[in-house]
Amino acid sequence: MTLTTPPLTDEDERLARKYELWEELPEGYREAAARIASFQALAELVGVLPFAEWVDRAPDYERKQMLVAKVQDEVGHGHVTARVAEDLGVGREQILVDFAEGRTKLLNIFHYGFESWEELGPAALLMNSSAIVQFQALDQGTYLPYARALRKIEKEESFHYHHAIDLTHQTMVRGSVAQRQRAQEAFELWLPRLLAYFGPPDSDTYQQNPMYRFGLKVKSNDTLRQEWLTKIVPVFQELGIFVDPALARFDEDRQAWDYASPDWVETKRIIKEGGPRYGDWRSKIQLSLERNGAYRDAALARAAA
Amino acid sequence: MRRGTETDVYDVFAKFGDDATEPIRWVGSVRSGDPELAWHAAKEIYTRREYCTVLWVAQRSGMVVSGPEDEAILRTPDRLTYRLPTGPGRRRRARIKAGPVQPVPR
Ligand SMILES: [Fe+2]
């Protein structure tokens, strides 16, 4: 998909003019809005798979209930953002088929699974907090149906965030040394992944990016990354996780975070060639498309009749 | 205005909370091949947290919706100024300017 570059406008104007589906949209805007909504729909639906496979391994009934609720919420987010994309002309089947057939790239964090229950809490906490920081910026964006979808999603993400804190806390209070060690390792494994998830460092020309100029991307990668670190590092410290200053450290002079630069080469490779679980997620989506195909066709034929 | 076209999209309307005076409002849409299943999808997707008291779904092909071309006739302030709250205010100022009332001579 090629994006037409909108004309340059000043910063306030960039976010002030909002659009509804039925309005006349600037050249290239519809495609850009459809792209961001369908990208998120896929991220919600694939991003939940590593959690879904832990439902029947949850260690107690309450945790299982919370995990089931989270999985259902995320699938709901997939539906809501897919509706935004569908109204712009991109169907959910297309989103899923494009992924199953390898035409869509996934963000780096969605290429992995969890090796242990203790990993799930800290990883979910890092992921949820970064999603919240992203969404709180994106909901100020210019496409109103997407902004509304995000407001609904944020309420549920905040529930997941507290769930992840609670889960990590349980490990850090009641867990054995080995279990607490796994939580610590999970933090160190996932922190760089999430730092990379915010995207490459801002270039001098990030404001020229069509998504940014349309006001569909609201803040720069570095701004979001800094906001996220400010939010999440103290939370982990409070949970008894050691945050190695070599990984992330607040520089009082610059009033900004220094962090270990993620391995960008590896990040790009994962996105291009697929990470450890990429193939599994693709075949899961493929399987569910096939399994549900007959029902879907019958339902849609009936709707059209 | 125009008629909706999609037969597989249902717009979702709901009311939340205990405040009976709260209006029923539009919350989003679902895709479904069947009205009752659309209602269930709406329940699962849009009533996950808050306490929901009313839930409606409406097939888009059965709706009539405004478009940008209707803006002019929908903008009451531009065409029906006498209905605006500023109308009585303007009349009040005119009354003051007009001077004292003149009672009927007895
Ligand atoms: Fe989500």
Side-chain angles (χ1 to χ4, degrees):
Chain A
M1 207 182 318
T2 52
L3 294 177
T4 318
T5 305
L8 267 179
T9 53
D10 99 329
E11 179 64 10
D12 294 339
E13 216 181 304
R14 186 177 72 94
L15 298 174
R17 176 69 171 97
K18 312 274 186 195
Y19 295 97
E20 294 282 7
L21 167 66
W22 53 80
E23 284 183 78
E24 209 174 301
L25 303 172
E27 170 111 19
Y29 187 96
R30 172 179 280 265
E31 293 72 18
R35 180 198 263 193
I36 199 167
S38 54
F39 197 64
Q40 186 176 339
L42 183 68
E44 301 279 2
L45 294 173
V46 176
V48 77
L49 295 176
F51 292 94
E53 67 179 3
W54 278 89
V55 166
D56 54 10
R57 297 181 234 165
D60 69 47
Y61 191 66
E62 197 188 2
R63 293 291 169 200
K64 188 171 184 154
Q65 282 181 313
M66 288 165 110
L67 195 55
V68 167
K70 179 198 161 69
V71 169
Q72 292 174 334
D73 288 348
E74 299 294 4
V75 174
H77 302 170
H79 280 281
V80 170
T81 42
R83 280 297 314 126
V84 177
E86 282 175 335
D87 279 344
L88 291 163
V90 181
R92 66 187 62 189
E93 287 83 0
Q94 190 190 329
I95 296 170
L96 294 174
V97 169
D98 280 351
F99 172 65
E101 295 179 359
R103 283 188 295 276
T104 329
K105 301 275 171 259
L106 278 182
L107 288 166
N108 68 318
I109 53 170
F110 302 122
H111 286 260
Y112 305 94
F114 307 122
E115 301 299 319
S116 70
W117 178 253
E118 294 76 21
E119 181 183 353
L120 201 138
L125 185 49
L126 288 164
M127 286 194 256
N128 283 134
S129 54
S130 65
I132 289 169
V133 168
Q134 287 269 15
F135 295 164
Q136 282 175 346
L138 287 171
D139 76 14
Q140 304 299 308
T142 56
Y143 189 53
L144 291 167
Y146 181 58
R148 289 187 197 106
L150 289 174
R151 304 251 164 96
K152 174 210 151 33
I153 290 172
E154 279 164 23
K155 284 189 207 154
E156 292 166 12
E157 287 300 339
S158 123
F159 169 90
H160 304 163
Y161 172 79
H162 291 288
H163 177 201
I165 288 182
D166 196 56
L167 203 53
T168 309
H169 181 260
Q170 187 182 43
T171 303
M172 297 307 286
V173 171
R174 308 228 179 258
S176 65
V177 176
Q179 286 177 307
R180 283 178 280 141
Q181 184 59 32
R182 282 202 282 277
Q184 176 70 39
E185 284 165 8
F187 171 77
E188 287 165 13
L189 179 67
W190 282 87
L191 181 79
R193 290 177 184 171
L194 268 299
L195 285 166
Y197 155 85
F198 283 94
D202 296 345
S203 66
D204 297 338
T205 56
Y206 78 86
Q207 286 161 315
Q208 315 282 318
N209 177 318
M211 287 291 200
Y212 188 84
R213 279 209 243 164
F214 279 137
L216 289 166
K217 189 173 165 59
V218 174
K219 290 182 179 174
S220 79
N221 296 349
D222 281 335
T223 308
L224 291 167
R225 200 168 6 235
Q226 290 287 330
E227 285 179 8
W228 175 65
L229 285 166
T230 300
K231 178 184 171 81
I232 200 62
V233 170
V235 174
F236 274 99
Q237 285 167 330
E238 182 119 337
L239 285 164
I241 299 285
F242 172 65
V243 180
D244 188 337
L247 279 180
R249 186 186 72 90
F250 191 72
D251 184 328
E252 293 290 343
D253 297 337
R254 284 172 45 247
Q255 285 293 301
W257 290 88
D258 290 328
Y259 52 86
S261 176
D263 185 341
W264 293 109
V265 176
E266 173 66 0
T267 303
K268 277 193 190 131
R269 190 192 66 77
I270 292 262
I271 292 171
K272 191 157 172 264
E273 293 168 25
R277 302 298 304 278
Y278 174 67
D280 293 343
W281 307 150
R282 258 177 73 183
S283 52
K284 272 206 170 167
I285 297 286
Q286 180 68 46
L287 204 69
S288 90
L289 276 169
E290 282 165 18
R291 194 183 51 213
N292 301 334
Y295 301 106
R296 191 172 50 242
D297 293 347
L300 293 177
R302 186 176 152 188
Chain B
M1 92 286 260
R2 60 172 183 84
R3 290 194 183 183
T5 51
E6 297 101 316
T7 53
D8 57 343
V9 176
Y10 291 77
D11 278 293
V12 182
F13 303 84
K15 186 160 98 83
F16 295 97
D18 282 321
D19 182 353
T21 61
E22 266 294 299
I24 298 169
R25 56 188 172 89
W26 179 88
V27 292
S29 61
V30 293
R31 185 152 171 250
S32 175
D34 173 90
E36 278 75 28
L37 290 178
W39 188 89
H40 282 286
K43 171 181 152 291
E44 291 306 318
I45 295 170
Y46 291 101
T47 73
R48 300 196 64 73
R49 290 295 177 280
E50 292 160 281
Y51 160 44
C52 179
T53 53
V54 175
L55 183 68
W56 295 349
V57 296
Q59 194 174 23
R60 222 172 243 187
S61 62
M63 295 173 72
V64 175
V65 295
S66 59
E69 69 283 2
D70 301 309
E71 205 188 319
I73 64 157
L74 289 174
R75 280 179 60 99
T76 309
D78 293 352
R79 64 190 172 98
L80 303 167
T81 49
Y82 56 90
R83 284 197 201 165
L84 299 183
T86 53
R90 216 169 29 239
R91 293 307 310 157
R92 188 171 51 83
R93 282 192 297 280
R95 283 201 303 278
I96 292 167
K97 241 195 233 154
V101 293
Q102 303 185 36
V104 178
R106 282 177 179 262

